[in-house]
Amino acid sequence: MDTSTDEEHARLVERLRLLGEVHATQTALFQAQAAASLGLGVTDLKALSILLREGPQTAGALMSRLNLTSGAITGLVNRLHHKGVVSRQTDPADRRRVIISADANVLASGPNPYAAIGRAFDELHRTYSTSELALIEGYLEASTRITRAQAAALPR
């Protein structure tokens, strides 16, 4: 049973708002530096992240996921292809579509700006119990859904 006071609850909610904003800023700054260290833009890096996590995508699907125009996705794919980190294949089911795939081997052979931060977070996560990690997992899933929904509601 939660025995916290209303004042403590309000204080923690306010603290979470502040920490959420600070965390989002630090994450955005890290992403910008990580992308720049690879000679990419943040959106380029997020496209690679989607392709690595979810597998090959049509240019149209990637365009939707990143909320880009057709001209912007063409430029993004061209930049990544020029760097040799993605390949383009014609979709065998519809020759008008292009399938974009990340080349994990090429990416693994170069510098990884996420390695050190990944190790640091692994170390942090080891300090939490399984039930605490489950709580954090639920919070992150819910906050991601909220952020995705709020981003979709913004004018384009």
Side-chain angles (χ1 to χ4, degrees):
M1 180 176 186
D2 187 1
T3 59
S4 63
T5 64
D6 289 343
E7 295 85 22
E8 179 66 3
H9 187 269
R11 184 193 72 75
L12 286 169
V13 167
E14 188 57 36
R15 183 76 176 139
L16 286 173
R17 283 184 186 137
L18 173 64
L19 289 172
E21 188 274 325
V22 170
H23 181 264
T25 299
Q26 286 307 128
T27 299
L29 293 172
F30 177 84
Q31 295 294 342
Q33 285 182 256
S37 77
L38 297 172
L40 299 171
V42 172
T43 305
D44 301 341
L45 202 57
K46 294 296 99 188
L48 283 172
S49 175
I50 290 167
L51 292 169
L52 288 168
R53 188 175 55 252
E54 299 175 12
Q57 311 255 323
T58 64
L62 199 55
M63 179 178 75
S64 290
R65 290 293 311 280
L66 295 167
N67 194 26
L68 297 175
T69 64
S70 60
I73 197 68
T74 299
L76 179 147
V77 171
N78 286 343
R79 284 190 304 278
L80 295 177
H81 187 262
H82 178 73
K83 287 205 166 274
V85 295
V86 301
S87 62
R88 296 182 273 218
Q89 289 94 27
T90 303
D91 185 346
D94 182 345
R95 305 216 29 93
R96 295 169 296 174
R97 295 190 316 182
V98 174
I99 305 287
I100 312 302
S101 302
D103 190 327
N105 292 327
V106 170
L107 290 166
S109 70
N112 182 349
Y114 293 97
I117 198 169
R119 288 188 300 273
F121 274 105
D122 286 347
E123 188 175 313
L124 173 65
H125 297 151
R126 282 192 289 277
T127 68
Y128 292 98
S129 70
T130 301
S131 62
E132 289 170 326
L133 289 172
L135 177 71
I136 295 166
E137 176 189 37
Y139 176 83
L140 288 174
E141 287 174 346
S143 66
T144 299
R145 279 191 306 275
I146 290 168
T147 303
R148 185 176 290 124
Q150 291 301 308
L154 291 173
R156 295 179 185 225

